[in-house]
């Protein structure tokens, strides 16, 4: 096994050079917030996907907890990079601040997003479905100084104490003012343009009343050379808590308005063989520093969802605009009877705009194909620059390559939702019975209006390219645009969605303590009602788009959305999930547990355009995917050492659709493995570590049987992370190592992604009380680490042009923090 190594020196306080978390000046000295005798934090109370709070040692679920210090020292560049610190989680976080692919315990990522994993804020889902096309849940979630801790439950009770989350739940728990004080932190990129300001403050405003408020502002280009500020926006969060005898009421508000550049696969050169490939940069395009985004490609004229002329600002990138209001209350309504109520209303809209390289190849060949498309005549066509310093001059890029670029242009009209979760618990001696009702609605209303362009393969402000008729000298394209639509993909992708999904889910749980033995069981019945409509592409001739009064070659065949002939969505499905577990406490420092569960996951928008029947119905076997899981684990601590080990087996059904390949999936997967989490502290030294070994296979493939027995794409056998650190009072420094063994680009198991190890390091200097200075340099040696690719194989012995995505290259930043 060959591993490629990256080394980074700096602090671990940045998200795109910005502080996602900083260390709490009053945080416990031990790793993960534990004491010296509880380095792994096994005494921490679990509130995520739990019917009754219990500490990690006494619960029968596999759960991890990350406090401020653990997250800060992981040097997260994005929210999704935090998840790489959680055993059992595989997070492909190279897409920018959002649009990450997140898998758990070998459960598949057949298309994108986090299908079987739910992201939550304070116990409420960010999105009801984690894999909405161009609406991955992490797009609408930002980590900042308002987050107190992160809890992650894998498998187990997530099947029954959350909807559509059989793989697990990751919950961001907010500060609530219990600890008085505040933080102000400023971060600047030293070798790239990025600026960020974070703040947080909490305090009491009465004997029984407290509040917390915080957020961030940022502005910058991002870690790759886009030529413009790709990250720009802010978030503000606040809550206020009133305590009463026997309970409390908390009100919550959040507003997020943040543009984040979205990195899609990029042009890349691959030589060697499928089993031993060499990934490298092109002349003029660095796969670690560059991106197809360009200051010369910031706007595009096309059509909106109503087929009206519109100019799109490509700099919007991934632009969530989220307003959330929430209520959380807990009361003891009678002796031994507790009522809990949680409500969250979300207004969600925005954009997803990013260039996608549909093809990378010889400039003349691609230009000639476009010329033939626009004239109907095969032949040799000329290429000239459409803009930039060489506008009007003959194309002469040093690498001789063009990108056939599809502009993924998605308007998020309404991804709003509401969620209400109410439950009543009654103690019966050593047993507790919980009954609850979960009610939610998720709107999915968006328009896809994709167009096609020609761009040179060049980093640091690539130009658009025009095609010219060599006989008449007429420019056939318009500023690099050659089609209103995506003819290279059969004009598939002018689409409109407007569907609401209502979820009603009663559930019950029983917990019992029989001395050292704890037993629990839970069951949930989910009913999902889908109502709405969707419309696809209508191809029309001679349709004027640009408003110049003439029909240009690009307007002779135009893709519209067929709004006059929408297809209905009208179906109801239901499913039952269950989970049973047992935990036996051997002594105060050791326990073993076992669990079996079956959880369902309702499919949503991925069923449209192919699976929904003409009358709007859906077969139940297509609408619901089931995950069967079995777990066996042990927890142990001694002195400054802690260990949490879980063996697992999962069988997963999968129905899905991928936008970039236009492929449907109908599969069954099997995965077995072990996840390890450990911590150690002795004197000035401490260590946190985690690893997950997974043996996953495609057990059945109804559409492509040849894939059966193969490893699911991008699934490595081993992923790991560890963070050793030295604390010398005024200075704390250490490493955060994240790595993976090799994996396959696609399910046919031909092209290999080599394993790689990325080493980040942190140095925090405290020159005086309440002041901390940090420096960060990430991926110092510019090592390539491939996380995804569109191609599944290459031709040995020649130069192959593929579209893939690597970890980012070197960036250096500095942060200054003040606590008060």
């Amino acid at each position: 096994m060959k591993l490629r190594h990256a080394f980074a020196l700096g602090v671990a306080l940045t998200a795109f050079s910005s502080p996602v978390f900083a260390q709490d000046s009053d945080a416990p000295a031990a790793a993960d917030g534990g004491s010296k005798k509880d380095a792994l934090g096994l005494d921490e109370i679990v509130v995520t996907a739990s019917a009754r709070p219990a500490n990690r040692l006494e619960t029968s679920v596999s759960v991890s907890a990350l406090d401020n210090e653990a997250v800060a020292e992981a040097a997260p560049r994005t929210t999704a990079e935090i998840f790489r610190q959680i055993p059992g989680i595989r997070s492909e976080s190279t897409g920018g601040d959002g649009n990450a692919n997140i898998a758990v315990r070998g459960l598949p990522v057949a298309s994108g997003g986090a299908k079987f994993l739910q992201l939550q804020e304070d116990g409420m889902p960010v999105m009801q479905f984690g894999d909405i096309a161009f609406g991955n849940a992490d797009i609408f979630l930002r980590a900042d100084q308002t987050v107190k801790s992160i809890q992650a439950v894998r498998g187990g009770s997530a099947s029954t104490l959350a909807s559509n989350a059989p793989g697990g739940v990751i919950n961001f728990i907010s500060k609530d003012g219990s600890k008085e004080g505040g933080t102000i932190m400023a971060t600047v990129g030293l070798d790239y343009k990025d600026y960020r300001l974070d703040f947080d403050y909490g305090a009491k405003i009465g004997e029984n009343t407290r509040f917390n408020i915080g957020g961030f502002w940022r502005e910058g280009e991002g870690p790759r050379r886009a030529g413009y500020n790709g990250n720009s926006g802010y978030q503000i969060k606040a809550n206020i808590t009133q305590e009463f005898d026997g309970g409390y009421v908390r009100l919550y508000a959040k507003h997020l308005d943040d543009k984040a550049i979205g990195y899609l696969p990029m042009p890349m050169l691959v030589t060697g063989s499928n089993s031993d490939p060499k990934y490298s940069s092109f002349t003029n395009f660095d796969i670690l520093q560059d991106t197809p985004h360009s200051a010369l490609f910031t706007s595009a004229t096309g059509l909106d969802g109503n087929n009206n002329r519109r100019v799109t600002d490509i700099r919007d990138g991934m632009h969530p605009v989220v307003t959330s209001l929430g209520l959380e209350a807990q009361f003891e309504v009678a002796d031994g009877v507790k009522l809990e109520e949680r409500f969250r209303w979300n207004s969600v809209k925005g954009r997803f705009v990013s260039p996608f390289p549909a093809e990378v190849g010889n400039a003349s060949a691609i230009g000639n194909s476009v010329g033939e498309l626009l004239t109907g005549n095969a032949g040799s066509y000329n290429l000239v620059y459409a803009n930039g310093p060489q506008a009007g001059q003959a194309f002469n890029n040093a690498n001789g390559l063009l990108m056939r670029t599809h502009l993924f242009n998605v308007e998020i009209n309404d991804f709003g939702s509401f969620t209400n979760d109410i439950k009543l618990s009654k103690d019966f001696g050593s047993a507790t019975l919980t009954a609850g009702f979960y009610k939610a609605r998720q709107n999915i209303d968006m328009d896809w209006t994709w167009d096609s362009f020609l761009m040179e393969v060049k980093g640091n402000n690539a130009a658009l390219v025009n095609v010219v008729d060599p006989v008449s000298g007429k420019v056939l394209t318009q500023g690099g645009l050659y089609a209103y639509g995506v003819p290279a993909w059969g004009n598939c992708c002018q689409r409109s969605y407007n569907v609401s999904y209502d979820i009603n889910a009663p559930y019950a749980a029983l917990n019992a303590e029989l001395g050292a033995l704890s037993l629990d069981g839970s069951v949930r019945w989910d009913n999902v009602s889908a109502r709405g409509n969707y419309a696809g592409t209508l191809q029309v001739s001679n349709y004027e788009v640009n408003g110049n009064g003439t029909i240009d070659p690009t307007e002779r065949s135009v893709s519209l959305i067929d709004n006059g002939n929408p297809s209905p969505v009208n179906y109801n499905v239901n499913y039952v999930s269950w989970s049973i577990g047992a935990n036996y406490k051997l002594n105060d420092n050791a326990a073993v547990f076992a669990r079996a569960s079956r959880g369902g996951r309702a499919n949503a928008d991925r069923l449209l355009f192919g699976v929904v029947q003409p009358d709007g119905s859906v077969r139940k076997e297509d609408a619901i995917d089931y995950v069967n899981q079995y777990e066996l684990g042990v927890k142990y601590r001694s002195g400054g050492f802690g260990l949490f080990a879980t063996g697992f087996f999962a069988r997963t059904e999968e129905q899905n659709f991928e936008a970039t390949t236009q492929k449907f999936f109908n599969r069954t997967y099997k995965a077995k493995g072990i996840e390890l989490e450990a911590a150690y502290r002795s004197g000035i030294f401490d260590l946190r570590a985690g690893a997950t070994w997974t043996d996953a296979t495609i057990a059945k493939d109804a559409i492509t049987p040849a894939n059966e027995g193969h490893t699911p794409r991008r699934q490595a056998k081993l992923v790991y992370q560890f963070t050793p650190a030295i604390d010398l009072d005024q200075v704390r420094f250490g490493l955060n190592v994240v790595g993976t063994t090799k994996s396959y680009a696609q399910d046919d198991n031909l092209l290999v992604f080599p394993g790689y190890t990325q080493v980040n390091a942190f140095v925090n200097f405290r020159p005086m009380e309440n002041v901390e200075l940090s420096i960060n340099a990430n991926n110092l040696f510019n090592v390539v680490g491939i996380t995804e690719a569109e191609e599944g194989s290459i031709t040995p012995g020649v130069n192959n042009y593929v579209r893939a995505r690597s970890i980012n290259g070197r960036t250096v930043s500095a942060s200054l923090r003040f606590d008060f």
Side-chain angles (χ1 to χ4, degrees), residues 464-481:
L464 294 162
V465 176
N466 277 330
V467 178
V468 179
D469 189 313
V471 178
S472 67
K474 181 178 180 179
V475 178
L476 301 175
T477 52
Q478 297 175 351
L481 180 142

Side-chain angles (χ1 to χ4, degrees), residues 565-584:
N565 295 287
S567 298
V569 179
N570 187 355
Y571 65 88
N572 296 288
V573 294
N574 57 75
Y575 61 93
V576 175
S577 302
W578 56 264
S579 182
I580 55 174
N583 187 85
Y584 186 76

Side-chain angles (χ1 to χ4, degrees), residues 525-603:
W525 182 79
D526 277 88
N527 179 271
V528 180
S529 174
R531 299 290 186 272
N533 57 73
Y534 61 100
T537 304
L538 173 66
Q539 202 67 23
V540 300
S541 300
N542 300 325
Y543 191 94
E544 186 176 0
V545 178
N546 60 22
N548 66 359
T550 62
I551 298 298
D552 295 309
T554 54
E555 298 170 325
R556 290 173 184 160
S557 181
V558 174
S559 295
L560 307 180
I561 296 177
D562 194 6
N563 291 316
N565 295 287
S567 298
V569 179
N570 187 355
Y571 65 88
N572 296 288
V573 294
N574 57 75
Y575 61 93
V576 175
S577 302
W578 56 264
S579 182
I580 55 174
N583 187 85
Y584 186 76
K585 192 174 178 181
L586 301 172
N587 52 52
D588 288 341
N589 296 309
V592 293
F593 73 95
R595 178 168 291 275
S597 59
R598 175 178 170 86
R601 203 303 195 169
N603 292 307

